[in-house]
Amino acid sequence: MSIEFFWQLPTSGDGRSLRKEHWNRGDYTPPVTSRPVFARTDVRRGGYTWYDHLAQIARAAEITGFDGVSIPQTPAGEEPWVVSGALAREARRLKFLPSLPAPFLSAVYSAKMAISFQRLTGGRLAWNLITEEHTPKSWHGHRWSIAEQIARTGEFLDVVKGFWSNAPFTYQGRYYEVENGGFGPALAGPELPLIYLSGETEEALALSARYADVHFLPLDSLEATRGRIADLTRRAAAHGRALRFAIQADVVARHSGEDAWQDLRGRWDREIAKTVPISGAIDHSQGADKEDFDELILGSNLWTGFGLVRPGAPAGIVGSYREVADLIKQYIDAGVGTFALSANPHLEEAYRIGEQLLPLLRARPTQPLEQLS
C-alpha cells in the first residue's frame, strides 16, 4: 500500500492563535483588535496578496516532501478549484485535492474543467466531494438535506464517469440528464481524478462503497478506525470494489511530547476565556473552563478540541515527532494510506512538519526511528 501525505492550504486566513477571529494573515475575518493585517486579497497592483501567501505554503510543502495539498471549502474563503489552478504552475510536482460541493455543480462542465486541469498538470488533480449542512446563513442558498445532496452526488458521479469514458453518453436521472455527450478525440486520454468521499451516515457510506476511490475517516481511536475500515471494506466488496482510506488531522508536534502539549495548552489557556465555542460538545453554561482541555484528550496523543474554536477537523495528534510518527504508523498498519495534515500558521508548520516528521514516516522499515529522531 502506497502512503501519501497532503498538507492543507488555508483558504480563509491564517495565524498563530487557535482562535480564527485573531488571525492576521488575510482579511477574511472581522477585525477584533487593531492588529495589522497582511496578505490581503484585493485588486491593488504590486501588493503581497493572499494568493502569493498560498503559493509560498504550496512551495514549502513541495520542498519538504509532501505529496500534495488539500484545499478545504469554506463559506467565506477562496474557491478551492481556483486556488488549485492558480498554484498548479507554482508547484509542479504536488497533487491537488480541492474540496468541491458536487450537488451544486454541473456534472458535464465539472468534467470539462477537470480534463483541462489534468492536461495542464499531467494528471495531478483529485476531487474531495463534500456535502454541507444548510443553515440560515448558508452561502450556497440551497435547502437540500444531506441525504438529498448525497443522492445528487451519486448522479453527479454517474454522469462524470460516463461522460468521461463512454462517449457518446446518454443519461436520464432525477437530477441530471445528458444526451449523446462526451469528449472529442483532442481531449480524450487523461485519467479521471481520484474520488475522495466522506461521511458517517448510512447514505454516505453507501455512496463511498459504490463510487469512492478513497474514503476520509474521522480521526478516532485505532479500535474505532479498524472497525470503520472493516465495515466499508465489506460494503465496497459487495460492489466488486476496493477502497482506500484517508484521515484528516491537525498536528502539534515538537521535539518532546511535553513541549507539544505545553504549546497547545498555552494557546488554549490564552484563547478559551475570550472564545465562544462553535460546538456544544462541552457545557459552557457556567463559563469557559480551562480545565476543559483535559476532558478533550483522547488516549495518549489525540486531542479533540480543535473543532471547538475553529472550523475544520475536530481532532488532532499531539506529541513529539517520534510519538506522532509512531501513532501515524499504527494508523497505516490499520489500513489508512493517505493523511491530510494541517497546523497553523501553515507556512512555518509546513517546514516544521515536513522537515521533522515526514522523514520519520518515510524511513525504511529496517531503519529504526531512533536513528532519525
Side-chain angles (χ1 to χ4, degrees), residues 131-214:
T131 57
E132 297 187 20
E133 291 280 4
H134 168 76
T135 70
K137 296 183 179 180
S138 291
W139 67 273
H140 48 73
H142 294 292
R143 295 181 177 273
W144 301 328
S145 67
I146 294 297
E148 183 174 359
Q149 291 182 50
I150 290 171
R152 287 175 177 269
T153 301
E155 286 198 10
F156 173 94
L157 288 169
D158 282 335
V159 172
V160 167
K161 292 185 176 185
F163 194 91
W164 194 286
S165 304
N166 300 318
F169 176 69
T170 297
Y171 182 89
Q172 180 65 56
R174 181 179 178 185
Y175 307 109
Y176 295 90
E177 61 179 83
V178 180
E179 185 174 352
N180 295 326
F183 297 119
L187 295 182
E191 291 187 3
L192 184 73
L194 287 181
I195 306 301
Y196 287 68
L197 297 174
S198 59
E200 294 284 286
T201 67
E202 184 64 29
E203 294 90 345
L205 297 175
L207 184 73
S208 280
R210 288 186 59 199
Y211 295 101
D213 297 300
V214 186

Side-chain angles (χ1 to χ4, degrees), residues 75 79 90 162 322 373:
E79 169 54 41
E90 301 279 352
R322 181 180 176 185
S373 58

Side-chain angles (χ1 to χ4, degrees), residues 219 248-252 306 310 312-313 315-318 340-344 346:
L219 179 62
Q248 176 186 358
D250 273 84
V251 176
V252 179
F306 292 101
R310 64 174 183 229
I317 305 175
V318 185
L341 305 179
S342 176
N344 67 295
H346 288 74

Side-chain angles (χ1 to χ4, degrees), residues 118-373:
Q118 297 296 58
R119 286 162 58 83
L120 168 70
T121 63
R124 292 188 285 134
L125 176 67
W127 279 348
N128 180 21
L129 303 182
I130 61 171
T131 57
E132 297 187 20
E133 291 280 4
H134 168 76
T135 70
K137 296 183 179 180
S138 291
W139 67 273
H140 48 73
H142 294 292
R143 295 181 177 273
W144 301 328
S145 67
I146 294 297
E148 183 174 359
Q149 291 182 50
I150 290 171
R152 287 175 177 269
T153 301
E155 286 198 10
F156 173 94
L157 288 169
D158 282 335
V159 172
V160 167
K161 292 185 176 185
F163 194 91
W164 194 286
S165 304
N166 300 318
F169 176 69
T170 297
Y171 182 89
Q172 180 65 56
R174 181 179 178 185
Y175 307 109
Y176 295 90
E177 61 179 83
V178 180
E179 185 174 352
N180 295 326
F183 297 119
L187 295 182
E191 291 187 3
L192 184 73
L194 287 181
I195 306 301
Y196 287 68
L197 297 174
S198 59
E200 294 284 286
T201 67
E202 184 64 29
E203 294 90 345
L205 297 175
L207 184 73
S208 280
R210 288 186 59 199
Y211 295 101
D213 297 300
V214 186
H215 182 90
F216 266 114
L217 302 166
L219 179 62
D220 204 339
S221 68
L222 283 162
E223 181 180 4
T225 299
R226 292 188 188 100
R228 288 187 174 98
I229 289 175
D231 176 52
L232 271 163
T233 298
R234 287 192 298 269
R235 291 171 182 263
H239 296 278
R241 307 182 68 249
L243 275 177
R244 285 176 278 170
F245 299 95
I247 280 177
Q248 176 186 358
D250 273 84
V251 176
V252 179
R254 300 293 185 266
H255 285 289
S256 73
E258 181 181 0
D259 286 346
W261 284 108
Q262 183 175 352
D263 175 88
L264 180 59
R265 184 185 290 273
R267 285 190 283 165
W268 171 268
D269 288 349
R270 288 190 297 272
E271 299 298 337
I272 193 59
K274 48 190 175 181
T275 298
V276 177
I278 63 174
S279 167
I282 290 180
D283 180 9
H284 290 271
S285 58
Q286 302 303 315
D289 188 345
K290 292 182 181 181
E291 297 307 314
D292 291 339
F293 183 94
D294 294 321
E295 297 179 33
L296 299 167
I297 297 174
L298 179 64
S300 300
N301 298 101
L302 298 183
W303 190 70
T304 61
F306 292 101
L308 292 175
V309 290
R310 64 174 183 229
I317 305 175
V318 185
S320 69
Y321 298 116
R322 181 180 176 185
E323 289 170 344
V324 173
D326 284 344
L327 183 56
I328 289 177
K329 284 177 177 287
Q330 291 181 62
Y331 284 106
I332 292 172
D333 291 341
V336 179
T338 299
F339 297 84
L341 305 179
S342 176
N344 67 295
H346 288 74
L347 177 59
E348 293 91 326
E349 290 294 330
Y351 282 110
R352 183 199 301 273
I353 300 302
E355 292 173 351
Q356 302 291 338
L357 178 63
L358 287 193
L360 302 180
L361 295 165
R362 304 288 194 191
R364 296 186 302 273
T366 56
Q367 189 174 6
L369 288 180
E370 291 86 343
Q371 296 180 9
L372 294 170
S373 58

